[in-house]
Amino acid sequence: QVQFVESGGGLVQPGGSLRLSCAASGLRFSNYRMSWHRQAPGKERELVASITGGGSTNYADSVKGRFTISRDNSGNLVYLQMNSLKPEDTAVYYCKASLLNYWGQGTQVTVSS
């Protein structure tokens, strides 16, 4: 069974940093593009960043230059390094594998002073 377990969220002040982790199981991890998504209260879930099995990355315009997605294929892990955080980054963050309709429980990120 495919599972994703996200961790690393928390409360951080504007301008701060967080590193999110996602542990994946039940799939040939290196075969899948992995992505981070987020959903803020009252808003639709949106794509934040994605990374192919070979390491090619894409980012939403709102996070370019601030967030970095990476992966460890040997450990079935995907990361999201978030720097220069803004209040508008507040959301629940989820990881996902492309073409698979499985979601984890997400991890809450709150950016507030």
Side-chain angles (χ1 to χ4, degrees), residues 37-103:
H37 302 250
R38 68 186 180 187
Q39 187 166 20
K43 295 189 176 181
E44 292 191 354
R45 195 169 296 185
E46 63 174 353
L47 175 64
V48 174
S50 66
I51 184 168
T52 66
S56 296
T57 59
N58 279 290
Y59 298 92
D61 287 343
S62 58
V63 306
K64 277 181 183 175
R66 301 189 298 121
F67 290 12
T68 302
I69 188 171
S70 60
R71 65 191 294 162
D72 171 5
N73 285 337
S74 63
N76 286 14
L77 295 163
V78 61
Y79 303 102
L80 187 67
Q81 177 67 43
M82 306 186 296
N83 299 328
S84 303
L85 282 161
K86 304 176 181 180
E88 51 264 43
D89 295 317
T90 295
V92 180
Y93 284 71
Y94 303 87
C95 69
K96 186 181 181 295
S98 63
L99 304 179
L100 297 180
N101 192 26
Y102 293 91
W103 297 92

